[in-house]
Amino acid sequence: MKNLYTFILTLVLVLAAQAQDLANKIPSDANVVVTVKGKNVLQLLSLKEFSESKLGQQMVKEINRETKGELGAIEDLGLNLKENFYYFLQTKDGVFYNTFMIPFSDTDNMTKLFLNEWDEVITDGEASYVQKKYDGSLVIWNKTTMAVVIPSDQSNDYYDDYGYYDYNDYSIPPVAAEETLEAVEEVEETVIEAVEATETVEEYAEEVVIPKPTASAYDYDNNSEYQKDIERKRIERRAKRDERQQAQNKGTLDFAKQLLIGKPPRNILQNNSYKKSLGKGGDEAMVWMNDFSKFYKEMLPKDLLGPANPYEFLNLDEIYGGMTLTGRLNFEEDQAVMGMEYTMNDALAKAYKPMYNGKFNKNFLSYINEDRLLGYLNVNLSTQGILEAYPSLIETMLTGKKEGADSKAETIAAATTSITRLFSLLIDEEGASKIIRGDMLLLLTDLREKEVTYVDYEYDEDYNYKKIEKTKTETVPDFLFLFTSEEEKMFKNFMKIGVSEKKVDYQNGIYFIDASGSNPFDIHVMYHDNTVFIGSSLEHLSQIRKGTYPAKLSNQLKKDIRNNATSFYINGKSIVSRIPSEAFPRELRDNIDFLTNNTEDLNVNFSKIKGNTMSGEMILQIPDQGHKNSLAYFFNLVDKLME
């Protein structure tokens, strides 16, 4: 019996906790849901610490101004900071409803935020609200919850209603066209006669008399038929616009009331995809996106491809149906981590896998020296996989006649699939992959100052100018770019063309392209070990060619480069320390020491596709001292930059 009581008590507590969570009010078919977990955030940064930050002080100042001194602290708003805050996007009948859900301990002070004369607070039963008439956006609240709803009408008719003129009517009134043509002909005759009768510019100017056009339908005469027609159309369009806006405002209000007071038939917690994305719940913030096909259908304008409606021949559900994206943000003690999971349906995963299944050239690791590494970008794709997958992907998206599709839509679909088919037949995917296999590595090895020449202009008192060659100091990067290629013969043939045209120099197996106006640094190119090397440093390429390049790389960076489809690394501290102070904006120059001491490494990695999922992670390291955690680090950084 004791165990039964314990079970019932636990169940009641769980249900009570769920009842307080505003996720219960979010419809299950929401396209996007963003969650900020107040309790987790407060454990990292207290309300007192936030209020004392410069950003918090600005917020307090704004609250004081908006309430005309009635409220003087963030605590006065009555926010329940221990609960979850939500933003969600729902598409409904061509309207995007952007909605913010905010929990409150009490909303007694809410009316003090709307003291301006144009903010009319309306109370309707349990809810009070303020709504803007011109766009329908509103703020609505009850005792424990506030919602901010911002609608956005995506339909074409909405934009048509807001024009002053009828932009679809390009015709000129017949009377105006005839009178305008007569006036033009009369001017032409006068000019011809004057030119024939005069020999000098002065005589020509005296004799040419441009006739004053006769009264026409285009004259700004309010009594003309043309102006009356314009005015009538303007009034009709305005009435149509006002009627549409009123209907949209009512729809937004009904949506907000249902959200706040009612209960959706199914809420987001009953959506299996969303429930699966919740994880262990330890994140500070989370974003979830669902049903990409519906989102694209609502977002893409129907006139995207001119007269043909793209939805009549684009099989968006085939590619984007069942797709979800989940992102998580965690502020840890020594780093901030943003993770992402991108889940595709079977059709898209089947097409993407060959693209991201590139081979990595392990020889690349012999050309990286971490001691002189400021950053890198690595891509492990498959050129052959991309060339083979894209035609079939486009065909999948366009194949199949949709019910109600017109001939233009069918023509576009047929033409596009024919072009992709022709492309697939003409391109030798395997041959192309021998030229560029798909694995590439860009290394940033140094930042150095270089004196460059440029052309300026000097003017005398009569505004005559002459070209002056000047010099200035610029910060330019040293880089090394590598990609795998089996076509050494093709590479050398291309370089021979450059040498014969005297655009490229050659010495000791390395080709050289001199700096020019559009190219601030010298470029050196060579082929070595089934790899094309393009770099700014002759010394580095010479060392690589001789086999004496001092390679050095940590195990973690080796793992990131070898195992991921894409990886990105920035050595923030080294980059900031090597940039001359003159290159920074003036307002940051006093904070260069702070930036140098508080900028650390950034790593971004995207894995290869496993099953139907691709995952990614961005990690920003923070300094060992001076910040109690990574969230406090960001606020300290903002405070310093606001000084």
Side-chain angles (χ1 to χ4, degrees):
M1 184 65 69
K2 182 178 179 181
N3 291 337
L4 177 62
Y5 287 153
T6 303
F7 171 78
I8 293 174
L9 179 60
T10 303
L11 180 63
V12 169
L13 290 174
V14 169
L15 292 175
Q18 284 192 348
Q20 293 173 3
D21 192 343
L22 296 181
N24 285 279
K25 294 185 173 294
I26 300 176
S28 64
D29 60 347
N31 299 88
V32 181
V33 179
V34 178
T35 310
V36 178
K37 301 182 179 180
K39 183 179 179 180
N40 294 358
V41 172
L42 282 179
Q43 291 175 351
L44 298 169
L45 189 76
S46 68
L47 180 59
K48 182 176 182 295
E49 289 172 318
F50 173 74
S51 298
E52 291 175 351
S53 71
K54 286 185 168 56
L55 199 60
Q57 291 172 13
Q58 286 285 95
M59 185 174 177
V60 170
K61 184 178 179 180
E62 187 66 18
I63 291 171
N64 190 270
R65 187 183 67 82
E66 284 291 327
T67 62
K68 299 180 180 179
E70 291 282 337
L71 304 179
I74 298 174
E75 294 92 326
D76 296 339
L77 294 175
L79 295 168
N80 186 352
L81 297 173
K82 294 182 179 180
E83 296 296 329
N84 293 343
F85 292 66
Y86 291 95
Y87 158 83
F88 73 89
L89 170 66
Q90 185 178 25
T91 59
K92 191 175 182 181
D93 300 327
V95 179
F96 281 16
Y97 290 105
N98 298 276
T99 305
F100 299 85
M101 301 285 291
I102 304 171
F104 275 76
S105 299
D106 66 74
T107 55
D108 294 342
N109 287 330
M110 276 299 300
T111 54
K112 295 177 182 178
L113 289 172
F114 303 101
L115 298 179
N116 295 313
E117 56 186 16
W118 56 81
D119 291 330
E120 181 185 3
V121 178
I122 300 173
T123 300
D124 183 6
E126 299 178 31
S128 298
Y129 65 90
V130 174
Q131 185 170 28
K132 303 294 184 184
K133 293 182 180 179
Y134 69 90
D135 66 354
S137 60
L138 62 79
V139 180
I140 187 169
W141 64 91
N142 59 17
K143 284 292 183 183
T144 60
T145 306
M146 183 181 82
V148 180
V149 183
I150 304 172
S152 176
D153 196 329
Q154 301 296 306
S155 66
N156 289 355
D157 294 340
Y158 173 79
Y159 297 102
D160 291 342
D161 294 346
Y162 278 78
Y164 187 87
Y165 298 104
D166 185 358
Y167 292 103
N168 295 319
D169 183 10
Y170 297 101
S171 61
I172 298 176
V175 176
E178 291 175 5
E179 293 183 356
T180 303
L181 182 59
E182 290 175 1
V184 170
E185 290 175 348
E186 187 175 349
V187 170
E188 289 177 349
E189 291 175 3
T190 305
V191 171
I192 292 171
E193 292 173 1
V195 171
E196 291 175 349
T198 58
E199 295 181 356
T200 66
V201 175
E202 290 80 3
E203 291 173 345
Y204 170 77
E206 290 176 2
E207 294 194 20
V208 174
V209 179
I210 304 298
K212 182 179 180 181
T214 57
S216 71
Y218 277 121
D219 283 350
Y220 289 97
D221 179 2
N222 290 331
N223 294 320
S224 71
E225 289 301 320
Y226 186 67
Q227 289 298 327
K228 287 180 181 178
D229 186 53
I230 288 178
E231 182 64 15
R232 184 176 67 255
K233 287 184 177 181
R234 185 186 68 80
I235 293 172
E236 289 174 357
R237 293 171 74 83
R238 181 170 183 173
K240 185 180 178 182
R241 179 190 68 195
D242 292 345
E243 181 181 355
R244 184 182 183 91
Q245 188 64 60
Q246 289 174 10
Q248 180 182 288
N249 291 357
K250 183 180 183 303
T252 303
L253 180 58
D254 292 342
F255 172 85
K257 284 182 177 179
Q258 173 65 28
L259 180 69
L260 196 69
I261 302 170
K263 186 177 180 181
R266 284 175 54 83
N267 64 51
I268 198 66
L269 294 174
Q270 295 169 299
N271 185 310
N272 290 331
S273 174
Y274 179 78
K275 284 172 61 179
K276 190 182 296 184
S277 73
L278 293 176
K280 297 179 180 179
D283 315 302
E284 278 68 64
M286 191 186 85
V287 58
W288 172 84
M289 298 179 66
N290 187 44
D291 200 356
F292 278 57
S293 59
K294 180 182 177 183
F295 184 77
Y296 288 146
K297 287 176 185 177
E298 296 283 0
M299 182 179 65
L300 293 175
K302 293 181 180 179
D303 58 353
L304 177 68
L305 299 176
N309 184 343
Y311 308 125
E312 293 182 354
F313 58 87
L314 287 178
N315 299 322
L316 295 176
D317 291 332
E318 286 288 327
I319 302 299
Y320 298 112
M323 183 183 296
T324 60
L325 174 69
T326 303
R328 308 175 190 281
L329 180 60
N330 289 278
F331 294 103
E332 300 175 5
E333 186 175 339
D334 57 349
Q335 60 186 16
V337 182
M338 176 177 284
M340 187 203 78
E341 287 186 356
Y342 180 52
T343 303
M344 299 159 273
N345 60 32
D346 293 340
L348 193 61
K350 183 179 179 181
Y352 273 12
K353 277 181 181 178
M355 301 184 196
Y356 290 92
N357 194 29
K359 297 180 181 178
F360 173 72
N361 188 339
K362 62 182 180 180
N363 293 331
F364 284 3
L365 300 177
S366 301
Y367 314 126
I368 305 174
N369 187 320
E370 195 166 354
D371 290 340
R372 59 172 67 162
L373 185 64
L374 300 184
Y376 74 78
L377 172 62
N378 181 61
V379 177
N380 291 324
L381 300 179
S382 168
T383 300
Q384 183 174 350
I386 292 171
L387 293 175
E388 289 176 347
Y390 258 106
S392 62
L393 192 64
I394 293 173
E395 231 178 301
T396 301
M397 185 179 289
L398 295 174
T399 299
K401 179 180 177 181
K402 292 197 171 186
E403 187 176 348
D406 60 21
S407 59
K408 292 177 181 176
E410 289 185 39
T411 301
I412 292 175
T416 306
T417 53
S418 297
I419 291 171
T420 56
R421 177 62 178 162
L422 180 62
F423 174 82
S424 181
L425 291 172
L426 293 176
I427 294 296
D428 178 6
E429 293 89 352
E430 186 176 351
S433 68
K434 290 182 179 180
I435 302 172
I436 301 177
R437 193 169 71 178
D439 50 337
M440 306 176 188
L441 177 63
L442 174 64
L443 304 171
L444 179 63
T445 57
D446 197 4
L447 290 175
R448 55 187 171 84
E449 292 185 354
K450 181 181 180 181
E451 195 172 79
V452 297
T453 60
Y454 67 100
V455 175
D456 198 3
Y457 299 90
E458 290 187 358
Y459 295 84
D460 59 22
E461 295 178 354
D462 297 325
Y463 297 102
N464 298 312
Y465 70 87
K466 59 179 179 179
K467 293 182 179 180
I468 304 294
E469 192 175 87
K470 296 183 178 180
T471 60
K472 62 179 178 180
T473 300
E474 287 187 348
T475 302
V476 296
D478 269 336
F479 71 93
L480 180 62
F481 177 61
L482 309 79
F483 65 89
T484 302
S485 175
E486 297 178 28
E487 286 291 341
E488 181 178 5
K489 185 176 181 180
M490 180 180 290
F491 168 82
K492 288 184 176 180
N493 285 338
F494 273 122
M495 290 296 102
K496 283 180 181 178
I497 295 172
V499 172
S500 65
E501 293 293 326
K502 297 183 179 180
K503 301 291 185 182
V504 178
D505 294 325
Y506 175 76
Q507 189 174 7
N508 298 327
I510 299 175
Y511 298 89
F512 171 76
I513 303 172
D514 198 359
S516 62
S518 58
N519 173 31
F521 34 70
D522 301 333
I523 294 179
H524 305 84
V525 186
M526 74 174 184
Y527 186 93
H528 176 72
D529 199 15
N530 276 1
T531 304
V532 175
F533 294 81
I534 304 173
S536 58
S537 171
L538 176 61
E539 178 188 0
H540 291 175
L541 265 69
S542 298
Q543 289 175 336
I544 291 171
R545 187 169 177 273
K546 295 175 184 178
T548 59
Y549 189 82
K552 180 182 177 183
L553 191 63
S554 67
N555 289 330
Q556 183 59 51
L557 285 184
K558 281 183 184 178
K559 181 180 177 182
D560 291 343
I561 292 174
R562 296 183 63 166
N563 298 341
N564 291 295
T566 303
S567 58
F568 176 76
Y569 166 75
I570 287 291
N571 186 332
K573 185 184 289 293
S574 294
I575 289 178
V576 173
S577 64
R578 298 190 192 196
I579 297 176
S581 59
E582 296 80 12
F584 284 93
R586 186 165 299 171
E587 59 271 16
L588 293 180
R589 290 176 188 173
D590 293 337
N591 293 321
I592 292 177
D593 289 341
F594 177 83
L595 290 173
T596 302
N597 295 328
N598 289 275
T599 305
E600 294 293 338
D601 295 353
L602 173 67
N603 296 77
V604 181
N605 295 306
F606 284 93
S607 71
K608 295 183 179 182
I609 298 174
K610 298 177 182 178
N612 285 17
T613 301
M614 173 182 278
S615 59
E617 190 175 58
M618 180 176 72
I619 302 175
L620 176 66
Q621 303 291 339
I622 70 167
D624 295 333
Q625 297 179 348
H627 316 279
K628 71 174 187 177
N629 55 58
S630 55
L631 180 59
Y633 162 79
F634 282 107
F635 279 94
N636 294 340
L637 187 63
V638 171
D639 277 2
K640 191 66 178 179
L641 297 179
M642 288 178 66
E643 288 183 353

